[in-house]
Amino acid sequence: AQTVTQSQPEMSVQEAETVTLSCTYDTSENNYYLFWYKQPPSRQMILVIRQEAYKQQNATENRFSVNFQKAAKSFSLKISDSQLGDTAMYFCAFMKQTGNTGKLIFGQGTTLQVKP
Amino acid sequence: ETGVTQSPTHLIKTRGQQVTLRCSSQSGHNTVSWYQQALGQGPQFIFQYYREEENGRGNFPPRFSGLQFPNYSSELNVNALELDDSALYLCASSREVVMDTEAFFGQGTRLTVV
């Protein structure tokens, strides 16, 4: 069974600084996707960034980038120039295709607070 | 293009009762997945519906059941509610079931069982 582990329950960063959130996962699959989702107090999960396992190049989306280490099964999220609006819970998630079902497996989450 | 909407936003039920939660999928999406998120935890997959058929199920008992309608909206039904069913229930819709389609989440229904 696949598992996703986020070892940092809480993180804080000063506004405009850089922070890295960690995620490791366990799978025997070769073809899968990895995601980082943001869940602000409004509760709605918002996709931050995603990475296809077959792509070696790390995904980037504006201030957000990942460090994907497939052999180490590591998938960290780097947030540059942190903004107050980045304060939220962040979830790392894994998806593989099981038959016709594409389900997300989430980690426990990391609460990030950006301080002014 | 409307987003994913869930109703109600909050609900309080008594142990042993039954509850129905609703989800309207995003326009053009035929796949709906339901997740249970306990307080301070990551969401757990309950089941997925694709074109009105159940298309995969997580480790949840049969008292959790669902339905998808011809317009691809969906319901989650929970019978014989237990205190541990208290959680945020999230619905996510996508264009297809394959991995490379993005899932869009609703704002969730907060269920409290007393």
Side-chain angles (χ1 to χ4, degrees):
Chain A
Q2 288 76 30
T3 58
V4 177
T5 302
Q6 294 178 248
S7 58
Q8 305 154 313
E10 294 180 357
M11 296 277 287
S12 65
V13 63
Q14 292 295 132
E15 194 175 7
E17 293 188 345
T18 296
V19 64
T20 299
L21 308 184
S22 301
C23 172
T24 58
Y25 59 95
D26 185 26
T27 184
S28 57
E29 299 290 327
N30 196 46
N31 187 23
Y32 52 88
Y33 280 59
L34 294 163
F35 306 83
W36 279 98
Y37 280 90
K38 169 185 177 181
Q39 188 177 41
S42 66
R43 309 182 320 203
Q44 187 166 17
M45 284 281 192
I46 301 164
L47 178 64
V48 174
I49 198 166
R50 74 176 185 180
Q51 174 81 41
E52 295 91 331
Y54 63 87
K55 289 188 177 178
Q56 292 190 337
Q57 186 172 8
N58 289 324
T60 61
E61 286 287 342
N62 301 313
R63 298 183 294 108
F64 299 89
S65 62
V66 298
N67 183 5
F68 174 47
Q69 302 289 327
K70 190 172 183 180
K73 296 188 174 71
S74 170
F75 183 61
S76 61
L77 174 69
K78 185 171 83 171
I79 306 174
S80 304
D81 186 25
S82 297
Q83 301 176 359
L84 296 178
D86 295 333
T87 294
M89 196 152 186
Y90 286 81
F91 290 96
C92 177
F94 169 99
M95 180 186 278
K96 75 172 185 73
Q97 205 71 28
T98 305
N100 286 327
T101 305
K103 69 175 185 181
L104 287 162
I105 299 170
F106 288 88
Q108 308 93 312
T110 296
T111 301
L112 175 67
Q113 184 178 14
V114 180
K115 298 179 178 179
Chain B
E1 186 176 76
T2 57
V4 179
T5 57
Q6 292 186 242
S7 62
T9 55
H10 295 84
L11 199 55
I12 300 174
K13 287 287 190 178
T14 302
R15 189 172 49 182
Q17 284 188 316
Q18 179 266 343
V19 69
T20 297
L21 311 181
R22 295 178 174 82
C23 172
S24 293
S25 58
Q26 186 159 316
S27 177
H29 289 188
N30 58 22
T31 303
V32 172
S33 302
W34 286 92
Y35 293 83
Q36 180 195 65
Q37 186 179 12
L39 195 62
Q41 301 294 315
Q44 300 286 319
F45 176 76
I46 303 175
F47 43 55
Q48 182 178 84
Y49 278 83
Y50 172 63
R51 297 188 175 183
E52 304 179 58
E53 297 288 330
E54 187 178 290
N55 188 49
R57 189 179 181 91
N59 189 26
F60 280 81
R63 57 189 186 83
F64 285 78
S65 63
L67 202 58
Q68 188 177 33
F69 300 98
N71 66 355
Y72 302 129
S73 65
S74 178
E75 286 183 354
L76 164 65
N77 299 290
V78 187
N79 294 321
L81 283 167
E82 300 177 0
L83 297 179
D84 285 349
D85 296 333
S86 294
L88 179 68
Y89 288 85
L90 295 167
C91 161
S93 77
S94 56
R95 281 188 298 107
E96 288 290 338
V97 299
V98 293
M99 284 191 294
D100 61 354
T101 58
E102 182 177 345
F104 292 83
F105 284 82
Q107 81 284 9
T109 294
R110 172 75 66 193
L111 172 65
T112 303
V113 182
V114 297

